[in-house]
Coordinates of all heavy atoms in Angstrom, one line a residue:
M1 N -34.6 -2.4 -43.0 CA -34.9 -3.7 -42.7 C -33.7 -4.8 -42.9 O -33.6 -5.7 -42.2 CB -36.2 -4.3 -43.3 CG -37.4 -3.4 -43.0 SD -37.6 -3.3 -41.2 CE -38.2 -1.6 -41.1
V2 N -32.9 -4.3 -43.9 CA -31.8 -5.1 -44.2 C -30.8 -5.1 -43.1 O -30.2 -6.2 -42.7 CB -31.0 -4.7 -45.5 CG1 -29.7 -5.4 -45.7 CG2 -31.9 -4.8 -46.7
S3 N -30.6 -4.0 -42.4 CA -29.7 -3.9 -41.3 C -30.2 -4.7 -40.1 O -29.5 -5.3 -39.4 CB -29.6 -2.5 -40.9 OG -30.7 -1.9 -40.4
Q4 N -31.6 -4.7 -39.9 CA -32.1 -5.6 -38.9 C -31.8 -7.1 -39.1 O -31.5 -7.9 -38.2 CB -33.6 -5.4 -38.8 CG -34.0 -4.0 -38.5 CD -33.5 -3.5 -37.2 OE1 -33.3 -4.3 -36.2 NE2 -33.3 -2.3 -37.0
A5 N -31.9 -7.5 -40.4 CA -31.7 -8.8 -40.8 C -30.1 -9.3 -40.5 O -29.8 -10.3 -40.0 CB -32.0 -9.1 -42.3
I6 N -29.3 -8.4 -40.9 CA -27.8 -8.6 -40.7 C -27.6 -8.7 -39.2 O -26.8 -9.6 -38.8 CB -27.0 -7.5 -41.4 CG1 -27.1 -7.6 -42.8 CG2 -25.5 -7.6 -40.9 CD1 -26.6 -6.4 -43.7
D7 N -28.1 -7.7 -38.5 CA -27.9 -7.8 -37.1 C -28.4 -9.0 -36.4 O -27.8 -9.6 -35.5 CB -28.6 -6.5 -36.4 CG -28.3 -6.4 -34.8 OD1 -27.2 -6.2 -34.5 OD2 -29.3 -6.5 -34.1
S8 N -29.5 -9.5 -36.8 CA -30.2 -10.7 -36.2 C -29.5 -11.9 -36.5 O -29.1 -12.8 -35.7 CB -31.6 -10.8 -36.8 OG -32.5 -9.8 -36.4
V9 N -28.9 -12.0 -37.7 CA -28.1 -13.2 -38.2 C -26.8 -13.1 -37.4 O -26.4 -14.2 -36.9 CB -27.8 -13.1 -39.7 CG1 -26.8 -14.2 -40.0 CG2 -29.1 -13.5 -40.4
L10 N -26.1 -12.0 -37.3 CA -24.9 -11.9 -36.5 C -25.0 -12.3 -35.1 O -24.3 -13.1 -34.5 CB -24.2 -10.6 -36.8 CG -23.6 -10.3 -38.1 CD1 -23.2 -8.9 -38.3 CD2 -22.5 -11.2 -38.4
F11 N -26.1 -11.7 -34.5 CA -26.2 -12.0 -33.1 C -26.6 -13.4 -32.8 O -26.0 -14.0 -32.0 CB -27.4 -11.1 -32.6 CG -27.8 -11.5 -31.1 CD1 -27.0 -11.1 -30.0 CD2 -28.9 -12.3 -30.9 CE1 -27.4 -11.4 -28.8 CE2 -29.3 -12.6 -29.6 CZ -28.5 -12.2 -28.6
C12 N -27.6 -14.0 -33.6 CA -28.0 -15.3 -33.3 C -26.8 -16.3 -33.6 O -26.6 -17.3 -32.9 CB -29.2 -15.7 -34.2 SG -30.7 -15.0 -33.6
F13 N -25.9 -16.0 -34.6 CA -24.8 -16.9 -34.9 C -23.8 -16.8 -33.8 O -23.4 -17.9 -33.3 CB -24.2 -16.5 -36.2 CG -23.1 -17.4 -36.6 CD1 -23.4 -18.6 -37.1 CD2 -21.8 -17.1 -36.5 CE1 -22.4 -19.6 -37.5 CE2 -20.7 -17.9 -36.8 CZ -21.1 -19.1 -37.4
V14 N -23.5 -15.7 -33.3 CA -22.5 -15.5 -32.3 C -22.9 -16.1 -30.9 O -22.3 -16.8 -30.2 CB -22.1 -14.0 -32.1 CG1 -21.1 -13.8 -31.0 CG2 -21.2 -13.6 -33.5
A15 N -24.1 -15.7 -30.6 CA -24.7 -16.0 -29.2 C -25.3 -17.4 -29.2 O -25.2 -18.0 -28.1 CB -25.7 -15.0 -28.8
L16 N -25.8 -18.0 -30.2 CA -26.6 -19.1 -30.0 C -26.3 -20.3 -31.0 O -26.8 -21.5 -30.8 CB -28.2 -18.9 -30.4 CG -28.7 -17.7 -29.5 CD1 -30.1 -17.3 -30.1 CD2 -28.7 -18.1 -28.1
W17 N -25.3 -20.2 -31.8 CA -24.9 -21.3 -32.8 C -24.3 -22.4 -31.9 O -23.4 -22.2 -31.1 CB -23.9 -20.8 -33.8 CG -23.6 -21.9 -34.8 CD1 -22.5 -22.6 -34.9 CD2 -24.4 -22.2 -35.9 NE1 -22.5 -23.4 -36.0 CE2 -23.8 -23.2 -36.6 CE3 -25.6 -21.8 -36.3 CZ2 -24.3 -23.8 -37.7 CZ3 -26.3 -22.4 -37.5 CH2 -25.5 -23.5 -38.1
G18 N -24.7 -23.6 -32.1 CA -24.2 -24.8 -31.5 C -25.0 -25.1 -30.1 O -24.8 -26.2 -29.6
L19 N -25.8 -24.2 -29.7 CA -26.7 -24.4 -28.5 C -27.9 -25.1 -28.8 O -28.6 -25.8 -27.9 CB -26.9 -23.2 -27.8 CG -25.7 -22.4 -27.2 CD1 -26.0 -21.0 -26.5 CD2 -24.9 -23.2 -26.2
Y20 N -28.4 -24.9 -29.9 CA -29.7 -25.5 -30.3 C -29.6 -26.2 -31.6 O -28.7 -26.0 -32.5 CB -30.8 -24.3 -30.5 CG -31.0 -23.5 -29.3 CD1 -30.3 -22.3 -29.0 CD2 -31.8 -24.0 -28.3 CE1 -30.6 -21.6 -27.9 CE2 -32.0 -23.3 -27.2 CZ -31.4 -22.0 -26.9 OH -31.7 -21.4 -25.8
E21 N -30.6 -27.1 -31.9 CA -30.6 -27.7 -33.3 C -30.9 -26.7 -34.3 O -31.5 -25.6 -34.0 CB -31.8 -28.8 -33.2 CG -31.5 -29.9 -32.3 CD -32.6 -30.9 -32.3 OE1 -33.6 -30.7 -33.2 OE2 -32.6 -31.9 -31.6
L22 N -30.6 -26.9 -35.5 CA -30.8 -26.0 -36.6 C -32.1 -25.4 -36.8 O -32.4 -24.3 -36.9 CB -30.3 -26.6 -38.0 CG -30.4 -25.7 -39.1 CD1 -29.5 -24.5 -38.9 CD2 -30.0 -26.3 -40.5
N23 N -33.1 -26.3 -36.7 CA -34.6 -25.9 -36.8 C -34.9 -24.9 -35.7 O -35.6 -23.9 -36.0 CB -35.5 -27.2 -36.7 CG -36.9 -26.7 -37.1 OD1 -37.2 -25.8 -37.9 ND2 -37.9 -27.4 -36.5
T24 N -34.5 -25.2 -34.5 CA -34.8 -24.3 -33.4 C -34.1 -23.0 -33.5 O -34.6 -21.9 -33.2 CB -34.4 -25.0 -32.0 OG1 -35.1 -26.2 -31.9 CG2 -34.7 -24.0 -30.8
W25 N -32.8 -23.1 -33.9 CA -32.0 -21.8 -34.2 C -32.6 -20.9 -35.3 O -32.7 -19.8 -35.1 CB -30.5 -22.3 -34.6 CG -29.6 -21.1 -34.7 CD1 -28.9 -20.5 -33.8 CD2 -29.3 -20.4 -35.9 NE1 -28.1 -19.5 -34.2 CE2 -28.4 -19.4 -35.5 CE3 -29.7 -20.6 -37.3 CZ2 -27.9 -18.5 -36.6 CZ3 -29.1 -19.8 -38.1 CH2 -28.3 -18.7 -37.8
L26 N -33.2 -21.6 -36.3 CA -33.8 -20.7 -37.3 C -35.0 -20.1 -36.8 O -35.4 -19.0 -37.2 CB -34.1 -21.6 -38.5 CG -32.8 -22.1 -39.3 CD1 -33.3 -23.1 -40.4 CD2 -32.2 -20.8 -40.0
Q27 N -35.8 -20.8 -36.0 CA -37.0 -20.2 -35.5 C -36.7 -19.1 -34.5 O -37.4 -17.9 -34.5 CB -37.8 -21.2 -34.6 CG -38.4 -22.3 -35.3 CD -39.1 -23.4 -34.6 OE1 -39.1 -23.3 -33.4 NE2 -39.7 -24.3 -35.3
I28 N -35.6 -19.1 -33.7 CA -35.2 -18.1 -32.9 C -34.7 -16.9 -33.8 O -35.1 -15.7 -33.4 CB -34.0 -18.5 -32.0 CG1 -34.5 -19.5 -30.9 CG2 -33.4 -17.3 -31.3 CD1 -33.4 -20.2 -30.1
L29 N -33.9 -17.2 -34.9 CA -33.5 -16.2 -35.8 C -34.7 -15.4 -36.4 O -34.8 -14.1 -36.3 CB -32.7 -16.7 -36.8 CG -32.2 -15.8 -38.0 CD1 -31.4 -14.7 -37.4 CD2 -31.5 -16.6 -39.1
A30 N -35.7 -16.1 -36.9 CA -36.8 -15.5 -37.5 C -37.6 -14.7 -36.4 O -38.0 -13.5 -36.8 CB -37.8 -16.6 -38.0
T31 N -37.9 -15.2 -35.2 CA -38.5 -14.5 -34.2 C -37.8 -13.2 -33.8 O -38.4 -12.1 -33.7 CB -38.7 -15.3 -32.9 OG1 -39.4 -16.5 -33.4 CG2 -39.6 -14.6 -31.9
T32 N -36.5 -13.3 -33.7 CA -35.7 -12.1 -33.4 C -35.7 -11.0 -34.4 O -35.9 -9.9 -34.2 CB -34.2 -12.5 -33.2 OG1 -34.0 -13.5 -32.2 CG2 -33.3 -11.4 -32.8
Y33 N -35.7 -11.4 -35.7 CA -35.8 -10.5 -36.8 C -37.2 -9.8 -36.8 O -37.4 -8.6 -37.0 CB -35.5 -11.2 -38.2 CG -35.8 -10.3 -39.3 CD1 -35.0 -9.2 -39.6 CD2 -36.9 -10.5 -40.2 CE1 -35.2 -8.4 -40.6 CE2 -37.2 -9.6 -41.2 CZ -36.4 -8.7 -41.4 OH -36.6 -7.7 -42.5
L34 N -38.3 -10.6 -36.7 CA -39.7 -10.1 -36.8 C -39.8 -9.1 -35.6 O -40.5 -8.0 -35.8 CB -40.6 -11.2 -36.7 CG -40.7 -12.1 -38.0 CD1 -41.7 -13.2 -37.7 CD2 -41.1 -11.2 -39.2
L35 N -39.4 -9.4 -34.4 CA -39.6 -8.4 -33.3 C -38.7 -7.1 -33.5 O -39.2 -6.0 -33.3 CB -39.1 -9.0 -32.0 CG -40.0 -10.2 -31.4 CD1 -39.4 -10.9 -30.2 CD2 -41.3 -9.5 -31.0
K36 N -37.5 -7.3 -34.0 CA -36.8 -6.0 -34.4 C -37.4 -5.3 -35.4 O -37.4 -4.0 -35.5 CB -35.4 -6.4 -34.8 CG -34.4 -6.9 -33.7 CD -33.1 -7.1 -34.2 CE -32.1 -7.7 -33.1 NZ -30.8 -8.0 -33.5
W37 N -38.0 -6.0 -36.4 CA -38.6 -5.3 -37.5 C -39.9 -4.6 -37.0 O -40.1 -3.4 -37.3 CB -39.0 -6.3 -38.6 CG -39.6 -5.7 -39.8 CD1 -38.9 -5.3 -41.0 CD2 -41.0 -5.6 -40.0 NE1 -39.9 -4.8 -41.9 CE2 -41.1 -5.0 -41.4 CE3 -42.2 -5.8 -39.4 CZ2 -42.3 -4.7 -42.0 CZ3 -43.4 -5.5 -40.0 CH2 -43.5 -4.9 -41.3
A38 N -40.7 -5.2 -36.1 CA -41.9 -4.6 -35.6 C -41.5 -3.3 -34.8 O -42.3 -2.3 -34.9 CB -42.6 -5.5 -34.7
V39 N -40.5 -3.5 -34.0 CA -40.1 -2.3 -33.1 C -39.6 -1.1 -34.0 O -40.0 0.1 -33.9 CB -39.0 -2.7 -32.2 CG1 -38.4 -1.5 -31.5 CG2 -39.5 -3.5 -31.1
A40 N -38.9 -1.4 -35.1 CA -38.4 -0.4 -36.1 C -39.7 0.3 -36.8 O -39.7 1.5 -36.9 CB -37.5 -1.0 -37.1
V41 N -40.6 -0.5 -37.1 CA -41.9 0.0 -37.7 C -42.6 0.9 -36.8 O -43.0 2.0 -37.2 CB -42.8 -1.1 -38.3 CG1 -44.1 -0.6 -38.6 CG2 -42.1 -1.7 -39.5
L42 N -42.7 0.5 -35.6 CA -43.5 1.2 -34.5 C -42.8 2.5 -34.1 O -43.5 3.5 -33.8 CB -43.9 0.3 -33.4 CG -44.9 -0.8 -33.7 CD1 -45.0 -1.7 -32.5 CD2 -46.2 -0.3 -34.1
D43 N -41.5 2.6 -34.0 CA -40.8 3.6 -33.4 C -40.5 4.8 -34.5 O -40.2 5.8 -34.2 CB -39.6 3.4 -32.7 CG -38.4 2.9 -33.5 OD1 -38.4 2.9 -34.7 OD2 -37.3 2.5 -32.8
T44 N -40.6 4.4 -35.8 CA -40.2 5.3 -36.9 C -41.0 6.6 -36.8 O -40.5 7.7 -37.0 CB -40.3 4.6 -38.2 OG1 -39.3 3.6 -38.3 CG2 -40.0 5.6 -39.4
P45 N -42.4 6.6 -36.7 CA -43.1 7.7 -36.7 C -42.7 8.7 -35.5 O -42.7 9.9 -35.7 CB -44.6 7.3 -36.5 CG -44.6 6.0 -37.0 CD -43.3 5.4 -36.7
F46 N -42.3 8.1 -34.4 CA -42.0 9.0 -33.2 C -40.6 9.5 -33.5 O -40.3 10.7 -33.0 CB -41.9 8.0 -31.9 CG -43.3 7.6 -31.5 CD1 -43.6 6.2 -31.8 CD2 -44.2 8.4 -31.0 CE1 -44.9 5.8 -31.5 CE2 -45.6 7.9 -30.7 CZ -45.9 6.6 -30.9
I47 N -39.7 8.9 -34.2 CA -38.4 9.5 -34.5 C -38.6 10.7 -35.4 O -38.0 11.7 -35.2 CB -37.5 8.4 -35.1 CG1 -37.2 7.3 -34.2 CG2 -36.2 9.1 -35.7 CD1 -36.5 7.7 -32.9
Y48 N -39.4 10.5 -36.4 CA -39.7 11.7 -37.4 C -40.4 12.8 -36.7 O -40.0 14.0 -36.8 CB -40.7 11.2 -38.5 CG -39.9 10.5 -39.5 CD1 -39.8 9.1 -39.7 CD2 -39.3 11.2 -40.6 CE1 -39.1 8.5 -40.7 CE2 -38.6 10.7 -41.6 CZ -38.5 9.3 -41.6 OH -37.8 8.6 -42.6
L49 N -41.3 12.5 -35.6 CA -41.9 13.7 -34.8 C -40.9 14.4 -34.0 O -40.9 15.5 -33.9 CB -43.0 13.1 -34.0 CG -44.3 12.7 -34.6 CD1 -45.3 12.0 -33.7 CD2 -44.9 14.0 -35.2
A50 N -40.0 13.6 -33.5 CA -38.9 14.1 -32.5 C -38.0 15.0 -33.4 O -37.6 16.2 -32.9 CB -38.1 13.1 -31.8
V51 N -37.7 14.6 -34.6 CA -36.8 15.4 -35.4 C -37.5 16.7 -35.9 O -37.0 17.7 -35.9 CB -36.4 14.6 -36.7 CG1 -35.6 15.5 -37.7 CG2 -35.3 13.5 -36.2
R52 N -38.8 16.5 -36.2 CA -39.6 17.7 -36.7 C -39.9 18.7 -35.6 O -39.7 19.9 -35.9 CB -40.9 17.3 -37.2 CG -41.8 18.3 -37.8 CD -42.8 17.9 -38.8 NE -43.7 18.9 -39.1 CZ -43.5 19.8 -40.1 NH1 -42.3 19.8 -40.7 NH2 -44.4 20.7 -40.4
F53 N -40.1 18.3 -34.4 CA -40.5 19.2 -33.3 C -39.4 19.5 -32.3 O -39.7 20.2 -31.3 CB -41.8 18.8 -32.7 CG -43.0 18.8 -33.7 CD1 -43.6 17.6 -34.0 CD2 -43.5 20.0 -34.2 CE1 -44.6 17.6 -34.9 CE2 -44.5 20.0 -35.0 CZ -45.2 18.8 -35.4
G54 N -38.3 18.7 -32.4 CA -37.3 18.9 -31.4 C -36.5 20.2 -31.7 O -36.8 21.0 -32.6
P55 N -35.6 20.5 -30.7 CA -34.8 21.7 -30.9 C -33.9 21.7 -32.2 O -33.4 20.6 -32.5 CB -33.9 21.7 -29.6 CG -33.9 20.4 -29.1 CD -35.2 19.6 -29.6
R56 N -33.8 22.9 -32.7 CA -33.0 22.9 -34.0 C -31.6 23.3 -33.6 O -31.3 24.1 -32.7 CB -33.5 24.2 -34.9 CG -35.0 24.0 -35.2 CD -35.2 23.4 -36.5 NE -36.6 23.5 -36.9 CZ -37.2 22.4 -37.3 NH1 -36.7 21.3 -37.3 NH2 -38.6 22.6 -37.6
S57 N -30.6 22.6 -34.2 CA -29.2 22.9 -34.0 C -28.8 23.9 -35.1 O -29.3 23.9 -36.3 CB -28.4 21.7 -34.1 OG -28.4 21.1 -35.3
R58 N -27.9 24.7 -34.8 CA -27.5 25.8 -35.7 C -26.1 25.4 -36.2 O -25.1 25.3 -35.3 CB -27.5 27.1 -35.1 CG -28.9 27.6 -34.8 CD -28.9 28.9 -34.3 NE -28.2 28.9 -33.0 CZ -28.2 29.9 -32.1 NH1 -28.9 30.9 -32.4 NH2 -27.6 29.6 -30.9
A59 N -25.8 25.3 -37.5 CA -24.5 24.9 -38.0 C -23.7 26.2 -38.0 O -22.4 26.1 -37.5 CB -24.6 24.5 -39.4
V60 N -24.2 27.4 -38.1 CA -23.4 28.6 -38.0 C -23.9 29.5 -36.9 O -25.2 29.7 -36.9 CB -23.4 29.4 -39.4 CG1 -22.6 30.6 -39.3 CG2 -22.9 28.4 -40.5
P61 N -23.2 29.9 -35.9 CA -23.7 30.8 -34.9 C -24.2 32.1 -35.4 O -23.6 32.6 -36.4 CB -22.6 30.9 -33.9 CG -21.4 30.5 -34.6 CD -21.8 29.7 -35.7
D62 N -25.2 32.7 -34.7 CA -25.7 34.0 -35.1 C -24.5 35.0 -34.7 O -23.8 34.8 -33.8 CB -26.8 34.4 -34.3 CG -28.2 33.6 -34.8 OD1 -28.1 33.2 -36.0 OD2 -29.2 33.5 -34.1
V63 N -24.5 36.1 -35.4 CA -23.6 37.2 -35.1 C -23.7 37.6 -33.6 O -22.8 37.9 -32.9 CB -23.8 38.4 -36.0 CG1 -22.9 39.5 -35.6 CG2 -23.5 37.9 -37.4
A64 N -25.0 37.7 -33.1 CA -25.2 38.1 -31.8 C -24.7 37.1 -30.7 O -24.5 37.5 -29.6 CB -26.8 38.3 -31.6
D65 N -24.5 35.9 -31.1 CA -24.0 34.8 -30.2 C -22.5 34.9 -30.0 O -21.9 34.3 -29.1 CB -24.4 33.5 -30.6 CG -25.9 33.3 -30.4 OD1 -26.5 33.9 -29.6 OD2 -26.4 32.3 -31.1
T66 N -21.8 35.5 -30.9 CA -20.3 35.6 -30.9 C -19.9 36.6 -29.8 O -20.4 37.7 -29.8 CB -19.7 35.9 -32.2 OG1 -20.1 37.1 -32.7 CG2 -20.1 34.8 -33.3
T67 N -18.8 36.2 -29.1 CA -18.3 37.2 -28.1 C -16.9 37.5 -28.5 O -16.1 36.6 -28.9 CB -18.4 36.7 -26.7 OG1 -17.7 35.4 -26.7 CG2 -19.7 36.5 -26.3
A68 N -16.5 38.7 -28.5 CA -15.2 39.1 -28.9 C -14.3 39.3 -27.6 O -14.7 39.7 -26.5 CB -15.1 40.2 -29.8

């Protein structure tokens, strides 16, 4: 969640600083962070499922897979 906060602050500062009053800017920042946080919470179980049931990569090829 720390990375979401850093990303939100950087984005809002670069994209929106000076366009809105401070109070409005802070509300946009808070809303942006909360939405990113909610998406991260909701997509985490699906990421774990994809890793668990997805195809396995092999670090070392099988002997049968090598061609001479």
Side-chain angles (χ1 to χ4, degrees):
M1 297 307 142
V2 173
S3 67
Q4 300 298 334
I6 293 169
D7 183 65
S8 295
V9 169
L10 287 174
F11 172 77
C12 285
F13 184 76
V14 170
L16 304 172
W17 187 256
L19 295 177
Y20 299 99
E21 295 178 4
L22 181 60
N23 189 33
T24 303
W25 185 84
L26 289 172
Q27 290 176 1
I28 293 169
L29 173 63
T31 304
T32 302
Y33 174 71
L34 290 174
L35 287 172
K36 287 181 182 182
W37 187 86
V39 169
V41 167
L42 292 173
D43 74 4
T44 298
F46 296 105
I47 299 298
Y48 277 96
L49 285 171
V51 169
R52 178 156 174 88
F53 295 112
R56 306 261 187 235
S57 65
R58 295 180 296 193
V60 178
D62 288 340
V63 174
D65 289 341
T66 58
T67 57

